[in-house]
Amino acid sequence: MAAVTSVMRVQQLLLARIEAILQPHGLTFAAYEALRLLAFTRSGSMPMGKMGERLMVHPASVTNAIRRLEQRGLVERHTSAGDRRVVLATITEGGSAVARDATAALNQAGFGIAALSAGETAELTSVLRHVRVAVGDVADPAERRSAAPARTSLLLGRMVRGSCRPPAEADGQGLLAGRGAVRDCATGGHRAG
């Protein structure tokens, strides 16, 4: 239980620091995750239902975050031309700029990880990855290696800044684990949409 308590406390500390960094940008962590997810897509748009899946949150949470972002002019909502039942969220130029600025601020923060050596950081990431695999948050690397080769080229095409991937493909090298798909990219790790 000591390990679980320690991990939970680190998560609380990191999340509080992230929220403090995002506050001057007028963002909550949920809003930041939504913006980054949209910014990582090729078109800047995504069905709101799919956003909930990628962010691993209830659809109502996505709706609330998108509504607040829309009020600020950072996101627009519209129906899909292909399926009028689907509501798309689309990041605006202003939203892209806010997401970019907030990400730069987060990347400069360091989050105490700089106190670790490169080897310790790799070891920490590896240990946490084993936990994430065991609880079903990410796939076992052995299972992913057996996937079709075409999938690898698709993933490479979707990578952002050389490392961010969709949550189902995340390799667990980001700082935070849990409900959010984008939080790892916020800190220079891996995930996106």
Side-chain angles (χ1 to χ4, degrees):
M1 193 61 199
V4 171
T5 302
S6 183
V7 168
M8 292 301 296
R9 182 61 183 142
V10 169
Q11 189 270 344
Q12 291 168 345
L13 292 168
L14 291 174
L15 189 56
R17 180 79 174 115
I18 289 169
E19 292 282 0
I21 292 167
L22 292 175
Q23 187 177 16
H25 300 278
L27 297 174
T28 63
F29 189 57
Y32 173 76
E33 286 184 304
L35 277 180
R36 286 311 310 172
L37 182 60
L38 291 173
F40 287 144
T41 64
R42 288 184 185 151
S43 66
S45 294
M46 182 177 281
M48 290 184 52
K50 192 171 195 175
M51 289 182 71
E53 291 172 20
R54 293 276 175 93
L55 295 172
M56 295 181 266
V57 297
H58 192 275
S61 297
V62 173
T63 301
N64 290 335
I66 294 299
R67 182 176 45 240
R68 286 190 298 272
L69 291 168
E70 188 176 35
Q71 289 170 349
R72 292 183 54 198
L74 304 178
V75 170
E76 296 172 346
R77 278 189 287 185
H78 51 90
T79 56
S80 169
D83 185 346
R84 305 295 288 169
R85 298 170 295 175
V86 175
V87 176
L88 297 172
T90 303
I91 193 167
T92 64
E93 286 185 34
S96 293
V98 168
R100 201 171 30 254
D101 292 345
T103 298
L106 287 166
N107 284 332
Q108 291 174 1
F111 299 99
I113 300 299
L116 302 175
S117 70
E120 289 171 326
T121 301
E123 184 178 353
L124 175 62
T125 300
S126 177
V127 168
L128 292 175
R129 173 142 183 63
H130 290 298
V131 173
R132 293 176 70 188
V133 168
V135 299
D137 182 46
V138 295
D140 187 331
E143 292 174 18
R144 288 198 340 228
R145 279 192 281 273
S146 66
R151 187 170 183 175
T152 302
S153 62
L154 176 64
L155 288 174
L156 291 173
R158 295 185 69 181
M159 291 168 78
V160 177
R161 291 181 39 199
S163 64
C164 295
R165 290 171 266 174
E169 311 308 326
D171 62 9
Q173 297 202 12
L175 293 177
L176 300 176
R179 72 177 176 82
V182 182
R183 70 179 50 153
D184 295 317
C185 282
T187 56
H190 303 289
R191 283 196 177 198

